[in-house]
Amino acid sequence: MKQFSLLSVLLMVLAALPLHALPTDSVAAPADPMESVEIGLLTCSPHDEVYSLYGHTALRCRNVRSGEDLVFNYGIYNFKKPHFVLRFVFGLTDYELGVAPTKPFCKYYEQWGSQVTEQVLDLTSAEKQRLIQALRTNYLPQNRVYRYNFFYDNCSTRPRDMLERCLDGEVRYAPRPDYALTFRQMAGLCTEGSPWATFGNDILLGVKADLATTQREQQFLPANLRHDIDRATVVRGGQSRPLVKERRLLVPAGIQTTSSAFPLRPMVCALLLLAVSLALFAYEQLRRTVVRWFDVLLMVAAGLAGCILFVMLFSQHPTTSTNLQLLLLNPLPLFFVWTVARGRRSRWFAISLCLTVAFLVGALWQDYAEGLEVVAICFLLRYIRHAHDK
C-alpha cells in the first residue's frame, strides 16, 4: 500500500512539470536549409568552334528540396560591343558572370556533342552559404563584368578562386606529371586538331609563353582544373578530407561535326613558298635578272603581318610582349617597298639579312609558329640574289 502511494505521488509530480522540462527525443531540431543544397564544378569538353577548343568551366548550385538549379558561368561575352576585335587584340576584352538554368546550359553542349561532367563538392553548410552569397554579390550589375585574360583570369580560374575564398580550410592539390609544360605547349595540345588555330596562337605569343608554368597556372585549362579538383583535399582544423564527394556525368559525349578547314598545314604552305623561291632564284641566275614583283610580294606580306605583331607589343596580354618573331615579320619593309618596286638599290636586303639571322638565333629562346623558319630561308635567298646582282 505504501509503494502504491509513492508511485501515485511521483506520477502526479511528473504530470505537473512543464513539457520542456521533460527529456524527450520527439522535439526535432530546426532543419539546416543548406543540407538540401549541392555545389558542383561543371567541366565541358571542347567542340568544333575555335572559342571552345580549350573547354569550359562553370559552377552549379542546386537545391534538391526546392528544385532551384542554376549554373554560374564566367564565360559570357558580347561580340556586338563596339571595337570588339580591337579590344581583344589589346587585351581589353571584358567578360561577365552569367546565370542560367542547368537544363538549357547542358542542352547547348549536348547539341555540340560535348561532354559535361559534374564534381559535387564536399562543403560545410557555412561554406555553401558563403559561396552562394558571394556568387549572388558577384552577379550584381556593378560587379559581374571583369577584365578577361586567357592565361591568368578566365572562366576556369574564376570559379576556382571563388571556391577557395569561401572555404574555411586550405585546398591542397596533388601534383601532376605534366608539371613542366609551358603555356604554348598546353594551348598547342588543345588546338592540335586545328593547325591554323595553333599557328595563330604561336605567332602572337612571345618568349614568356615558353617559360615553365606552375601547377596553379596550368589550371587555366578546364581539363587541368577538373583533374586537380578531383584529387584535391581540404584541410580543416588539422583534418584532411577529399574536396569531391561525388562525380556525375550530366551529358555524355556525342557525335561532333567537324567543319571543313583550309586543307594545307602552315608548314606545307611555307614549303610551297620555298619551292617558288628556289625556282625563281634559279630562273634569275640563268637570266641574270631580278623578279621584282616577288620581292614586293614578300615585303608587303611581311610588313602587314609585322604591323599586327608590333601592335601586340602594346597589348595587356602578358605573354605577347617580347615576341622574337618581330625580327622576321615587322613593319620595316613597308618603308622600302617603293624603292624595291622601282628597281633601285635598297639597303633593305642587308637589313633583312641581319634581322633574319637574329631571328634564327632567337629560336634558342622561343618556339616559333610552324613554318616560319622556312620563310626565313626564303628571305635569305632574296638577300643572296640581290647581293650577287651587285
Side-chain angles (χ1 to χ4, degrees):
M1 188 71 178
K2 183 178 181 181
Q3 293 177 350
F4 176 77
S5 300
L6 291 175
L7 181 61
S8 299
V9 172
L10 180 61
L11 290 174
M12 292 173 63
V13 171
L14 291 175
L17 290 174
L19 184 62
H20 63 79
L22 298 176
T24 177
D25 294 332
S26 61
V27 181
D32 182 358
M34 290 292 107
E35 285 185 358
S36 61
V37 174
E38 292 180 344
I39 306 293
L41 186 76
L42 303 185
T43 305
C44 311
S45 65
H47 55 77
D48 186 48
E49 292 296 318
V50 174
Y51 63 82
S52 81
L53 294 177
Y54 309 95
H56 188 54
T57 299
L59 284 170
R60 180 189 187 189
C61 298
R62 177 190 179 210
N63 191 319
V64 179
R65 183 177 301 168
S66 68
E68 186 179 34
D69 193 358
L70 299 174
V71 171
F72 289 80
N73 175 12
Y74 282 94
I76 304 300
Y77 55 90
N78 186 1
F79 278 123
K80 296 181 180 180
K81 284 187 176 181
H83 313 298
F84 178 85
V85 175
L86 191 62
R87 290 175 61 85
F88 184 84
V89 168
F90 282 101
L92 303 176
T93 310
D94 289 332
Y95 276 45
E96 63 182 70
L97 171 64
V99 181
T102 300
K103 285 187 178 179
F105 179 87
C106 291
K107 187 67 176 178
Y108 170 81
Y109 284 95
E110 183 181 8
Q111 293 172 348
W112 285 101
S114 295
Q115 177 178 284
V116 180
T117 59
E118 180 182 17
Q119 295 162 296
V120 182
L121 306 176
D122 188 9
L123 306 180
T124 66
S125 295
E127 290 169 344
K128 293 178 186 177
Q129 191 168 14
R130 195 179 301 125
L131 179 57
I132 291 174
Q133 183 58 46
L135 289 171
R136 288 174 176 171
T137 301
N138 203 180
Y139 187 60
L140 294 174
Q142 65 269 27
N143 299 332
R144 67 181 60 166
V145 177
Y146 70 99
R147 181 55 47 83
Y148 176 85
N149 186 287
F150 179 65
F151 290 130
Y152 296 104
D153 195 357
N154 65 5
C155 68
S156 181
T157 63
R158 283 260 161 173
R160 177 203 64 190
D161 295 344
M162 183 69 71
L163 173 63
E164 290 179 347
R165 283 195 295 267
C166 295
L167 291 178
D168 292 321
E170 176 191 358
V171 181
R172 295 181 180 175
Y173 300 103
R176 270 186 286 110
D178 53 352
Y179 192 80
L181 291 177
T182 66
F183 281 125
R184 190 189 303 275
Q185 289 170 335
M186 287 183 288
L189 289 174
C190 295
T191 60
E192 59 183 353
S194 303
W196 284 100
T198 303
F199 179 85
N201 287 339
D202 287 342
I203 203 168
L204 295 179
L205 295 175
V207 174
K208 293 181 181 178
D210 295 308
L211 301 176
T213 57
T214 65
Q215 182 174 2
R216 186 173 183 80
E217 288 175 332
Q218 294 175 13
Q219 291 172 354
F220 83 96
L221 286 179
N224 288 345
L225 180 63
R226 175 192 172 191
H227 180 280
D228 289 348
I229 290 290
D230 211 38
R231 292 157 180 78
T233 56
V234 183
V235 181
R236 302 183 183 95
Q239 295 184 345
S240 178
R241 294 189 55 172
L243 179 56
V244 176
K245 68 176 181 180
E246 186 179 349
R247 299 157 186 83
R248 298 171 182 164
L249 179 63
L250 300 186
V251 178
I255 299 175
Q256 295 192 3
T257 58
T258 304
S259 59
S260 58
F262 189 68
L264 301 180
R265 292 185 63 92
M267 179 59 77
V268 175
C269 293
L271 290 174
L272 290 175
L273 179 63
L274 178 59
V276 172
S277 298
L278 289 171
L280 287 177
F281 183 83
Y283 172 81
E284 290 170 325
Q285 289 291 95
L286 291 174
R287 294 297 183 93
R288 297 184 179 277
T289 186
V290 174
V291 181
R292 289 197 297 272
W293 64 264
F294 187 67
D295 290 320
V296 170
L297 180 64
L298 283 181
M299 294 173 69
V300 170
L304 293 178
C307 289
I308 298 175
L309 297 188
F310 179 76
V311 166
M312 293 300 293
L313 292 178
F314 305 96
S315 172
Q316 290 190 13
H317 292 295
T319 52
T320 59
S321 60
T322 321
N323 190 345
L324 299 182
Q325 293 168 121
L326 259 170
L327 294 169
L328 186 71
L329 304 177
N330 56 75
L332 286 179
L334 297 179
F335 295 97
F336 296 92
V337 67
W338 179 246
T339 303
V340 173
R342 298 185 65 181
R344 297 177 181 176
R345 293 190 180 276
S346 174
R347 289 178 291 180
W348 163 245
F349 296 99
I351 296 173
S352 176
L353 172 66
C354 297
L355 293 175
T356 302
V357 171
F359 166 82
L360 294 173
V361 174
L364 297 173
W365 294 277
Q366 179 178 335
D367 289 337
Y368 294 146
E370 179 182 327
L372 275 195
E373 289 93 338
V374 177
V375 175
I377 297 175
C378 298
F379 283 34
L380 291 177
L381 283 174
R382 299 316 301 165
Y383 167 78
I384 294 172
R385 180 66 196 97
H386 283 270
H388 186 268
D389 193 50
K390 289 182 180 180

